[in-house]
Amino acid sequence: MSAALEIKDLCFSYASHWTYRKTPAIKNISLEIKKGEAFGFLGSNGGGKTTTIKCILNLLHPDSGAIKIFGTPSWLSSARSSVGYLSEQPYFYDHLTVLEIMELFAGLIGLSRSQSQVKIKEVLNRVGVFSRSKSPMRHLSKGLTQRVGLAQAILNEPTLLILDEPFSGLDPIGRREFRDIFMDLKKSGTTLFMSSHVLSDVEFICDRVSIMSSGVVKGIFNIHDDTVFGAGYFELSLEDAPAQAPQSLLADEIKVETLAGRTISRLKFKERAAAEIALAKSLQQGLKIDKFKFNRPSLEDIFLKLVKMDASS
Amino acid sequence: MNPIVQIALNTFRETIRGKLTPILLTFGIVVVAFSAMFGSVTLGDQIKVLTDFGLFSISLFSVGMSVLAGASLMQKEIQLKTAYNLLAKSVNRWQLLLGKYFGLLFSVTLMNFFMAAMLCGLLYWLENTAQILILQAALFIFFELVIITAVTIFFSAILVTPTLVGLFSFAIFIIGRSIEYLPKLMAESATTNVNKIIEYIYWTMPHLNQLSISDYVPYGIGATPDLLISAISYSFSYAGMTLILACLIFSRKNFV
């Protein structure tokens, strides 16, 4: 069974216009995205994410390596018939209306007039811009243009959806709506390949992530794998607790902070049992509990660690 | 619908609704109307002067629109990334380029024939006779546009800045219109190397002078069937070869 997207030993360099001197942008990267998987493609600015996406879509010709979409070489236009693509800050023709833009894309994917009318209405409703379908594109805000971008990307019911910074320009409501659409698509079996700086959303949507820096894949992680992210810890926060009280609770680590005139003691516990005992004791002693929660290292922690390591090396 | 037709249709809409069309069209109409005034104060045949000046204006404004609109066409597609969305579908680069070409050609053709119809109307109003030869001259301007639009698309596929695309395309138009002077230059030139360069230019540049009947139309002379056939075959072959070359180069281009 072929993968949804297979990138093997991909290298790409940008050549200077005048001297033709080459600057490597992608250095020998390999990735395999399984069918139905949601894959987060993360990295620092200039790390090579957009360049990789351009190579996948045949907008850039790689120096070496191979890219296959569902087993078909990506340079063949037929490979892209099952692909949807939302570019970073998409832009469409100023003087065309939303409907005309959608009709153009419906025509390009081979929908008949009657099919396209139904499908366009459906996707515009889904992304929340149907009411603006007669507006020229130049009258649309950045967020609404982003929605039109998503509408054209999902018009062909893609089995592989490539998203380059899909949340840029969206307000919190839009972000939530996009996230829900991506989750629905994932449930229906669409493979998602997403580049984003909004790590909380990537963590919510994706199954696996890769982190790229300076044109190299620094690591590929399963989001649900605790061995990668670490076991996490319990945190008990006490408000204005007497000085000796936190020490008596046998925490693994204690931090005391002053926030807006309040003294907050943060107690960290590696073991659940120890944390629960400390919580019970605190309640018995009548201490004021500010927070009790389980903290898991976030994707952001891993991301920062890897990118900082790369920067320092 | 074929992707080329889809892209052409949208290029036509975008070009016609853009700012350039009303500006050039208004200016073209003003110039044609001005030529009527100019003709009326000229000694001799007013109609001849009006026809001559009118056809010159139509040719200039149609070519101007083709070059100006075409110069930024592909650059806008690449810089604003609209081409990314199109090429991410199963659209080939050559289809995008040809779609742009036909869309632009359709826009400038429409403008050409609209201005020719205006000139016909003006002449009919002045002379009360239908000047069908004006439409024939407009047809030959169309053949010229077939080539110039292809040349503009060619340059916009390989160059980065619209200014250069515009300059080069307009230079080709000027050279193509004055190509008959090149053999005279060769005869006058002393060195073989210069002669070789001039000869190379002579054979590679479009012979637009062969496609114009605007000099004869004011005297009531139209095109012969032979001229019509050779104009059709020459303009479409030249444009075809230019577009094939453009497609080959564009297919290797990196969208940086």
Side-chain angles (χ1 to χ4, degrees), chain B residues 140 143 211 223-236:
Chain B
F140 275 75
F143 296 141
L211 297 175
T224 60
D226 283 354
L227 182 64
L228 183 66
I229 291 165
S230 74
I232 292 171
S233 51
Y234 180 76
S235 58
F236 283 97

Side-chain angles (χ1 to χ4, degrees), chain A residues 34-83:
Chain A
K34 293 172 212 142
K35 282 180 186 170
E37 170 176 44
F39 191 89
F41 192 50
L42 312 178
S44 50
N45 287 329
K49 302 186 302 292
T50 302
T51 303
T52 307
I53 289 175
K54 282 181 179 178
C55 287
I56 295 169
L57 297 168
N58 199 38
L59 297 168
L60 292 176
H61 301 290
D63 299 341
S64 61
I67 303 169
K68 285 181 179 175
I69 299 171
F70 295 107
T72 310
S74 68
W75 55 269
L76 289 170
S77 64
S78 58
R80 299 190 297 277
S81 60
S82 52
V83 174

Side-chain angles (χ1 to χ4, degrees), chain A residues 4-6 33-34 37 56-57 68-70 79-80 82-85 153 156-163 189-193:
Chain A
L5 178 64
E6 202 182 339
I33 318 303
K34 293 172 212 142
E37 170 176 44
I56 295 169
L57 297 168
K68 285 181 179 175
I69 299 171
F70 295 107
R80 299 190 297 277
S82 52
V83 174
Y85 169 60
N156 59 337
E157 295 178 3
T159 41
L160 171 63
L161 184 59
I162 298 174
L163 306 159
T190 306
T191 309
L192 302 178
F193 185 78

